[in-house]
Amino acid sequence: MILTLTLNPCIDRTIYLDRLDVGSYNRVKSTREDLAGKGLNVSIVLNNLDVDTLCKGFSFKSNGHLLEELLNTHHVRHDFLSLEGSIRTNIKLFDQSCQVMTEINEAGPFVPMSAVEQLMEDMENALEHTDILVMSGSIPPGVPSDIYQRLIQTAGKKRVKTVLDTAGEPLFLGLPEKPYLIKPNTLEFEQAFKKEIESGMDTLEIARQVVDSGIPYLCLSMGEEGAMLIDKEHVYRARPLPLEPKGLTGAGDSMVAGMCYAIQKGLGSEDMLRYAMAAAGGSIRQEGTILAGKQDVEELFPLVEIETIQ
Ligand SMILES: Nc1ncnc2c1ncn2[C@@H]1O[C@H](COP(=O)(O)OP(=O)(O)OP(=O)(O)O)[C@@H](O)[C@H]1O
Ligand SMILES: [Mg+2]
């Protein structure tokens, strides 16, 4: 079973305007609301690939039903710890005249320490039945930034493989615990390895140092430039699939799902990257928040071109 953890879900409220006039009256053209959570995306794609998966994390009483409804629609199992308050809303103002998005993000409710400890206890139990634990996204106010670090330790004791897909402090603190796989995008990589970059090391040297330190797999996703997967013996580079991107939401999360699928099947690193690219491609070629299905992945998998760098 693949367990995904989403500590900081949110509702993306996109407001479309003909043009945005700051400081004056603006008329809304249309709106849409999407529930967003990186672990949820990973589980939805895994479930589409017929992998047994469970979503855990924090939800909030006043609008948590939206989260449950989304997962129920996709037939994904979930077991969230429900707290007082509401899931935070991120407002995205889209000015259609210049195609520019302005984002206003809420921090979300403060999570009390008692809830953190309760979640840790729940996670310990769930890890008994888990093959891979995926920790995705940011951490809400109140939750200590070493939570992923603690979870990697706990999972390690139970021989559960861990995937860490986050940024900033939670990523930095997680690295010394040697997760099985990390998947930073270019920006997250540059932030995490700022010191190494400043000392003159290039991307490949840094990536090799990471895997030599005991993190078996590093996947660096580079948006429209594709991705790289580095393990102890190989450096693989994948070109982006030739498709028209229609919705970039969940591209990175789909990659994580693709790699978990390959790991679960006992496949090697080249196939991990192939499934990552096929799953990302399957999600981005569809409008809005629609994520890759099984057919997408099967169709795109043979089209992924991989080059061996070393
Ligand atoms: N504009 C694009 N054109 C083609 N492929 C893309 C594009 N953007 C992303 N991809 C594909 O999706 C993969 C993941 O994208 P990206 O590096 O942006 O991940 P991310 O920033 O982690 O995304 P997320 O927002 O889901 O966390 C890329 O490696 C690439 O294969
Ligand atoms: Mg990402």
Side-chain angles (χ1 to χ4, degrees):
M1 190 267 283
I2 301 182
L3 176 60
T4 66
L5 181 66
T6 305
L7 297 173
N8 209 6
C10 67
I11 292 165
D12 284 338
R13 180 164 163 79
T14 312
I15 299 173
Y16 298 89
L17 308 153
D18 280 332
R19 51 172 283 146
L20 174 65
D21 284 323
V22 177
S24 70
Y25 179 85
N26 290 278
R27 193 181 288 278
V28 171
K29 208 169 167 203
S30 61
T31 61
R32 63 172 291 162
E33 279 193 359
D34 296 298
L35 202 123
K38 304 184 79 58
L40 314 187
N41 292 339
V42 176
S43 277
I44 289 171
V45 175
L46 281 171
N47 189 65
N48 289 346
L49 295 171
D50 300 325
V51 175
D52 182 24
T53 181
L54 172 68
C55 282
K56 283 180 84 68
F58 293 122
S59 182
F60 296 91
K61 284 186 181 142
S62 81
N63 54 3
H65 62 276
L66 296 170
L67 191 154
E68 289 174 15
E69 280 160 22
L70 173 79
L71 292 171
N72 290 342
T73 309
H74 290 277
H75 310 287
V76 172
R77 287 196 297 137
H78 53 84
D79 177 22
F80 280 81
L81 189 59
S82 187
L83 309 177
E84 293 302 328
S86 347
I87 299 176
R88 70 201 165 108
T89 300
N90 291 338
I91 294 172
K92 296 164 185 275
L93 299 168
F94 189 65
D95 180 331
Q96 290 180 318
S97 68
C98 54
Q99 302 274 306
V100 167
M101 186 85 92
T102 304
E103 299 197 34
I104 303 164
N105 290 357
E106 281 182 6
F110 188 90
V111 176
M113 206 52 206
S114 56
V116 175
E117 291 313 323
Q118 164 85 60
L119 180 89
M120 291 302 285
E121 211 181 302
D122 287 358
M123 288 295 290
E124 269 216 65
N125 293 331
L127 284 170
E128 293 294 331
H129 320 284
T130 300
D131 304 302
I132 305 172
L133 165 65
V134 181
M135 291 156 282
S136 305
S138 59
I139 283 174
V143 176
S145 40
D146 67 354
I147 187 162
Y148 291 149
Q149 179 182 21
R150 281 175 66 188
L151 283 164
I152 299 168
Q153 278 171 5
T154 310
K157 286 184 197 142
K158 297 177 191 283
R159 301 192 170 281
V160 175
K161 294 187 172 106
T162 46
V163 180
L164 186 58
D165 181 15
T166 185
E169 179 104 336
L171 172 60
F172 197 73
L173 293 176
L175 294 175
E177 297 304 323
K178 315 298 176 208
Y180 190 73
L181 164 68
I182 57 171
K183 196 225 64 70
N185 61 26
T186 309
L187 184 67
E188 291 159 352
F189 182 87
E190 285 170 3
Q191 285 170 349
F193 302 103
K194 194 163 177 271
K195 269 213 314 249
E196 288 79 353
I197 293 168
E198 279 170 1
S199 78
M201 288 172 78
D202 69 23
T203 303
L204 266 188
E205 284 171 322
I206 299 169
R208 283 206 188 96
Q209 188 173 298
V210 169
V211 297
D212 286 342
S213 81
I215 294 173
Y217 299 99
L218 186 160
C219 176
L220 174 64
S221 71
M222 302 175 292
E224 58 190 357
E225 287 174 22
M228 288 208 286
L229 188 89
I230 297 103
D231 70 12
K232 261 216 142 128
E233 284 121 49
H234 314 94
V235 178
Y236 294 114
R237 166 96 208 241
R239 302 267 149 213
L241 284 160
L243 42 86
E244 191 201 336
K246 290 195 176 150
L248 294 175
T249 313
D253 308 329
S254 303
M255 287 194 104
V256 169
M259 288 188 281
C260 288
Y261 176 77
I263 295 167
Q264 185 82 330
K265 283 193 150 220
L267 301 171
S269 38
E270 189 174 346
D271 279 335
M272 277 168 67
L273 184 56
R274 226 176 261 286
Y275 273 112
M277 295 301 291
S283 292
I284 67 175
R285 73 175 179 175
Q286 301 185 81
E287 306 275 352
T289 54
I290 302 172
L291 297 170
K294 194 176 184 179
Q295 271 192 343
D296 295 301
V297 175
E298 282 171 356
E299 185 191 322
L300 295 174
F301 183 80
L303 305 181
V304 179
E305 283 180 20
I306 292 187
E307 179 193 336
T308 307
I309 295 188
Q310 180 203 339

